[in-house]
């Protein structure tokens, strides 16, 4: 089945550091990838839709300059949390949709802890 | 605004019980409805439903879509403790570039 790989799984770093999270579709091409944030015991909150070769579409309330998204190829999207602060600590999950309207598959997520 | 509502929010049962999880939706452009299971990590895909009335089955899990009622159910028979998870329902739009809408999930706890 389709596999989405997300890396790293867990990041702990100091306040002010920028953190890059990678999302790869391993066996399919993904024109569109999605980045979510999830707080404990809450559902997924869509942050942005990443389109290959074009600018990401951010949801209302999500700071573009804070959460930089790059979708340089059909198999890779990256999310960079710039100058991270403790309030950015969360579980970040990427997903990619199979072309032709197939299911959306999720990466394993990245737990980000900012000290 | 597109909306997906899941019920119940939380459910506690004993092993061997059968459960039915509900998902209803109001979306402007429907293509498919998906069910996911989320344990400690990110959601894993269970079913994708596009046509009304056709049951999808995988082991003890089954799901069906009712486009007339704008809803879907997920059934789990003979539940096991390993079924404990959050079950998410999502509706996908008609365009490939469109974003999906997720429900808040149903938290299922299966006690031994």
């Amino acid at each position: 089945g389709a596999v989405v790989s997300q890396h790293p799984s867990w990041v702990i770093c100091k306040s002010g550091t920028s953190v890059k999270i990678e999302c790869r579709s391993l066996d399919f091409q993904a024109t569109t990838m999605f980045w979510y944030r999830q707080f404990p015991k809450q559902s997924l909150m869509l942050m942005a839709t990443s389109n290959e070769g074009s600018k990401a579409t951010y949801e209302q309330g999500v700071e573009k300059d804070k959460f930089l998204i790059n979708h340089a190829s059909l198999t890779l999207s990256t999310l960079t949390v710039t100058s991270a602060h403790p309030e950015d600590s969360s579980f970040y999950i990427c997903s990619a949709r199979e072309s032709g309207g197939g299911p959306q598959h999720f990466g394993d997520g990245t737990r980000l802890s900012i000290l | 605004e597109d909306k997906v509502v899941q019920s119940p929010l939380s459910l506690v049962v004993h092993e061997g019980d059968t459960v039915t999880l509900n998902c209803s939706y109001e979306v402007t452009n429907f293509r498919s409805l998906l069910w996911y299971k989320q344990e400690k990590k990110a959601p894993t895909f269970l079913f994708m439903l596009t046509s009304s009335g056709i049951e999808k089955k995988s082991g003890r899990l089954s799901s069906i879509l009712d486009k007339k009622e704008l809803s879907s159910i997920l059934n789990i028979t003979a539940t096991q403790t390993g079924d404990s998870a959050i079950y998410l329902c999502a509706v996908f739009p008609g365009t490939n570039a469109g974003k999906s809408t997720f429900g808040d999930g149903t938290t299922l706890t299966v006690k031994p």
Side-chain angles (χ1 to χ4, degrees):
Chain A
V3 175
V4 175
S5 172
Q6 189 172 339
H7 175 83
S9 305
W10 206 317
V11 181
I12 301 174
C13 56
K14 291 183 179 179
S15 189
T17 309
S18 290
V19 178
K20 182 189 269 189
I21 303 170
E22 289 188 351
C23 180
R24 293 180 186 272
S25 56
L26 295 186
D27 51 0
F28 66 99
Q29 292 187 331
T31 310
T32 305
M33 290 187 174
F34 303 90
W35 287 96
Y36 295 86
R37 186 171 178 176
Q38 189 175 38
F39 293 101
K41 298 188 179 180
Q42 292 188 25
S43 190
L44 302 169
M45 184 189 81
L46 180 65
M47 297 174 67
T49 302
S50 168
N51 298 299
E52 186 266 337
S54 64
K55 289 184 180 179
T57 304
Y58 289 82
E59 293 302 299
Q60 194 170 10
V62 177
E63 298 175 59
K64 300 178 185 182
D65 296 331
K66 175 75 171 175
F67 300 100
L68 299 178
I69 290 172
N70 184 284
H71 193 154
S73 76
L74 286 171
T75 59
L76 173 65
S77 176
T78 61
L79 167 69
T80 301
V81 183
T82 60
S83 187
H85 291 283
E87 59 266 28
D88 298 322
S89 299
S90 191
F91 189 47
Y92 292 88
I93 311 172
C94 76
S95 75
R97 180 182 297 162
E98 294 182 39
S99 59
Q104 188 173 334
H105 299 280
F106 288 85
D108 281 344
T110 298
R111 290 201 184 279
L112 176 62
S113 295
I114 307 298
L115 305 177
Chain B
E1 187 182 326
D2 294 347
K3 196 168 29 168
V4 175
V5 178
Q6 289 185 245
S7 64
L9 291 178
S10 183
L11 190 57
V12 180
V13 300
H14 288 280
E15 273 192 317
D17 289 348
T18 293
V19 297
T20 299
L21 309 183
N22 300 285
C23 175
S24 63
Y25 60 90
E26 289 177 32
V27 297
T28 51
N29 196 1
F30 177 87
R31 183 169 191 166
S32 56
L33 183 147
L34 283 79
W35 284 97
Y36 293 88
K37 177 183 181 183
Q38 184 176 22
E39 296 174 87
K40 290 181 180 177
K41 289 190 174 180
T44 54
F45 169 72
L46 294 175
F47 298 110
M48 182 166 86
L49 306 163
T50 307
S51 301
S52 202
I54 299 174
E55 186 185 54
K56 294 244 175 150
K57 205 170 165 63
S58 176
R60 296 177 293 102
L61 277 67
S62 64
S63 184
I64 196 162
L65 175 68
D66 186 336
K67 282 187 177 179
K68 192 176 176 185
E69 295 295 325
L70 304 182
S71 66
S72 172
I73 59 170
L74 174 68
N75 276 321
I76 308 175
T77 59
T79 53
Q80 301 171 357
T81 54
D83 295 327
S84 297
I86 300 172
Y87 290 84
L88 294 167
C89 170
V91 173
F92 282 9
T95 59
N96 283 339
K99 60 183 182 181
S100 51
T101 302
F102 279 81
D104 286 338
T106 293
T107 301
L108 173 64
T109 304
V110 181
K111 293 188 171 181

